[in-house]
Amino acid sequence: MSESRADLSLAAALRVMAPMVELLLREGVTYPRFANALKKTFLEAAPGVLDASSTRVNDSSISTLTGIHRKDVREWRSVGQPPPQAKKSWCCYGSLHPLGE
């Protein structure tokens, strides 16, 4: 059975993260604290990914892409986050290049 691109990407990210997790643990960062910070990172990255794929950027599309509940997306935006806007995303499938260029 072949692995999906998502599975392969996750496996690569976990290999890269292992030393970072060791550092975080040594510095007293707990999993819940890290997971909360990572949620914000997913929310911040989503508009750029959606825009690069010509998908309308709104709370629902961000929620669908990230798997983060729409209520949490709305809450993130309500605490002073600007409306979703496209940002350049970087991808490294073969070489580094901004998506959409």
Side-chain angles (χ1 to χ4, degrees), residues 6-7 9 11 15-16 27-28 34 37 40-41 43 45 47-49 57 62 65-66 76 79-80 83 88 96 98:
D7 291 335
S9 296
R15 282 192 304 275
V16 170
E27 297 302 323
F34 178 72
K40 180 181 175 200
T41 303
L43 290 168
V49 172
V57 179
I62 291 172
L65 176 66
T66 62
W76 171 71
V79 293
K88 286 195 179 194
L96 291 177

Side-chain angles (χ1 to χ4, degrees), residues 81-93:
Q81 297 303 318
Q85 295 177 357
K87 308 192 300 193
K88 286 195 179 194
S89 296
W90 289 88
C91 177
C92 52
Y93 293 107

Side-chain angles (χ1 to χ4, degrees), residues 45-63:
V49 172
L50 290 166
D51 188 63
S53 66
S54 300
T55 302
R56 187 171 179 196
V57 179
N58 56 37
D59 290 356
S60 292
S61 62
I62 291 172
S63 177

Side-chain angles (χ1 to χ4, degrees), residues 3-72:
E3 292 183 85
S4 71
R5 285 178 62 120
D7 291 335
L8 294 171
S9 296
L10 179 58
L14 293 174
R15 282 192 304 275
V16 170
M17 286 297 303
M20 297 170 105
V21 169
E22 288 180 22
L23 171 67
L24 292 170
L25 290 171
R26 280 195 297 271
E27 297 302 323
V29 177
T30 63
Y31 173 75
R33 185 172 176 193
F34 178 72
N36 190 48
L38 191 57
K39 181 189 280 189
K40 180 181 175 200
T41 303
F42 269 68
L43 290 168
E44 290 171 348
V49 172
L50 290 166
D51 188 63
S53 66
S54 300
T55 302
R56 187 171 179 196
V57 179
N58 56 37
D59 290 356
S60 292
S61 62
I62 291 172
S63 177
T64 299
L65 176 66
T66 62
I68 296 171
H69 196 281
R70 211 171 5 178
K71 175 186 67 123
D72 294 333

